[in-house]
Amino acid sequence: MKFRTLGRHTREGSKSVWRNGWMTVSAIGAVTTTLLLVGVFLALMLNLNEIASNVEEDVEVKVLLDLTTSEDETNNLREKIEDIPEVGSITFSSKEEELNQLIDSLGEKGQAFELFKQSNPLNDAFVIKPEDPIDTVDIAEKIEKMDNVYQVDYGEEVVQQIFQFNKYARTIGLALIIGLVFTAIFLISNTIKITIIARRKEIGIMKLVGATNGFIRWPFFIEGLLLGVLGSIVPIAAVVTGYYYLYYNLRDNIKFEFIELLPFYPFALQLSGIILAIGAFIGVWGSVMSVRKFLKV
């Protein structure tokens, strides 16, 4: 396509945006509302995904060994665990290390357990990190069947709840975003349809003098693109500004280590790009739908 022709299509598409008046305002308003909600959902989903990933990374399987387990039996057990394909890493923790960790975790109250250093009742242990957190349960079930294993602990109920929550949150969030996007596409499609109906006579004349289908369709694609891009400006400004205040006001007040918001930069830039791309897609796809259905060329 020549630059001059593209310029002509752009001018015609821009004129249609202004010519349609309130229909344009309605379409841009629909896109703005949709993208505002999409932006909020995206920011929420991506941060929930980050928090979920942090929690999942902390998931581990702790294997307590029988008190009577010998050194050779310990080494054999380690080899068997390492042979499990889903295991990412395995670390041995002696009962002395386990006692020290217990004392440190209890702070001042832990001093009472110093007495047990003379006769330590705890078990040696293996701490296992899965290659993929979703395999935690499978790894634990396989290890439970091995010899010299006293107990396998991986916080079964908590782990299952975390995975369930992550699954439902992602599915519901994605479904809502898709629903909102299709609503905006429908509204833009109707706006383009009004333009096509208003210009049917002009389009007929253009066909008679030899205009190609592409030449006729392109201004409508440009119009849809402009509606989508214009509708993304306010959502980008609102979501980025809101996230800026939320990030810098909350990040120092969050007491849980695993709850960590995505850094403002480059997240704000990435989120803006996603919203702009969705806006452009909504506009162009709305135009495509109208052109296919109502433009008989």
Side-chain angles (χ1 to χ4, degrees):
M1 185 186 294
K2 294 181 180 179
F3 182 77
R4 183 182 297 177
T5 306
L6 180 60
R8 182 261 174 196
H9 293 331
T10 303
R11 285 195 301 275
E12 287 299 315
S14 302
K15 285 179 183 177
S16 291
V17 169
W18 295 109
R19 189 186 296 138
N20 289 332
W22 286 109
M23 280 301 297
T24 294
V25 173
S26 174
I28 291 176
V31 175
T32 298
T33 304
T34 299
L35 290 181
L36 187 60
L37 292 171
V38 167
V40 171
F41 274 117
L42 272 174
L44 182 62
M45 276 183 60
L46 292 172
N47 274 283
L48 277 175
N49 193 59
E50 177 70 10
I51 292 168
S53 297
N54 290 338
V55 173
E56 288 175 353
E57 284 177 7
D58 289 336
V59 171
E60 59 186 26
V61 179
K62 194 163 194 175
V63 181
L64 302 182
L65 280 59
D66 287 330
L67 291 172
T68 57
T69 305
S70 67
E71 186 176 343
D72 287 340
E73 288 172 331
T74 300
N75 292 332
N76 288 335
L77 179 60
R78 182 181 190 126
E79 289 175 4
K80 288 180 182 178
I81 294 173
E82 287 175 339
D83 286 339
I84 299 174
E86 296 84 2
V87 170
S89 66
I90 178 170
T91 306
F92 178 73
S93 177
S94 67
K95 60 183 181 180
E96 288 77 21
E97 291 172 325
E98 289 291 299
L99 181 58
N100 288 331
Q101 288 176 19
L102 177 62
I103 292 171
D104 292 340
S105 67
L106 294 175
E108 292 183 3
K109 295 180 179 178
Q111 299 302 315
F113 290 91
E114 291 281 352
L115 299 172
F116 289 106
K117 286 187 175 181
Q118 304 299 323
S119 179
N120 191 337
L122 300 183
N123 305 67
D124 290 331
F126 284 121
V127 179
I128 299 154
K129 286 280 188 181
E131 193 73 45
D132 186 339
I134 203 71
D135 296 320
T136 302
V137 178
D138 290 338
I139 292 171
E141 288 177 350
K142 289 176 181 177
I143 295 173
E144 281 176 335
K145 298 174 183 177
M146 296 180 181
D147 295 331
N148 303 116
V149 173
Y150 172 71
Q151 184 178 318
V152 178
D153 181 27
Y154 61 97
E156 181 177 1
E157 292 185 6
V158 175
V159 168
Q160 294 284 18
Q161 287 173 2
I162 288 170
F163 293 148
Q164 285 275 339
F165 173 79
N166 292 346
K167 179 182 175 181
Y168 288 127
R170 289 165 182 164
T171 303
I172 293 170
L174 186 61
L176 286 171
I177 288 173
I178 291 172
L180 290 168
V181 167
F182 273 103
T183 301
I185 287 174
F186 173 76
L187 292 168
I188 285 183
S189 177
N190 281 343
T191 303
I192 303 295
K193 178 181 73 174
I194 297 296
T195 303
I196 292 170
I197 292 171
R199 295 180 60 192
R200 269 186 174 170
K201 187 175 180 180
E202 179 187 342
I203 291 166
I205 294 171
M206 291 169 67
K207 286 291 292 179
L208 288 173
V209 298
T212 63
N213 291 343
F215 187 86
I216 295 171
R217 288 171 175 153
W218 263 99
F220 297 110
F221 295 154
I222 298 293
E223 181 182 354
L225 178 65
L226 288 173
L227 290 174
V229 170
L230 290 172
S232 67
I233 294 172
V234 171
I236 288 173
V239 173
V240 168
T241 302
Y243 191 76
Y244 175 86
Y245 285 105
L246 187 69
Y247 178 75
Y248 285 104
N249 287 327
L250 284 185
R251 65 171 184 171
D252 295 328
N253 296 321
I254 297 174
K255 297 179 180 179
F256 300 101
E257 290 183 6
F258 62 88
I259 299 180
E260 185 177 346
L261 298 178
L262 289 163
F264 178 75
Y265 182 83
F267 177 65
L269 194 62
Q270 294 167 345
L271 188 61
S272 299
I274 293 172
I275 294 173
L276 184 63
I278 293 175
F281 169 79
I282 287 172
V284 172
W285 191 252
S287 298
V288 169
M289 286 176 62
S290 287
V291 167
R292 283 183 175 176
K293 189 173 182 181
F294 299 104
L295 188 57
K296 306 299 182 182
V297 297

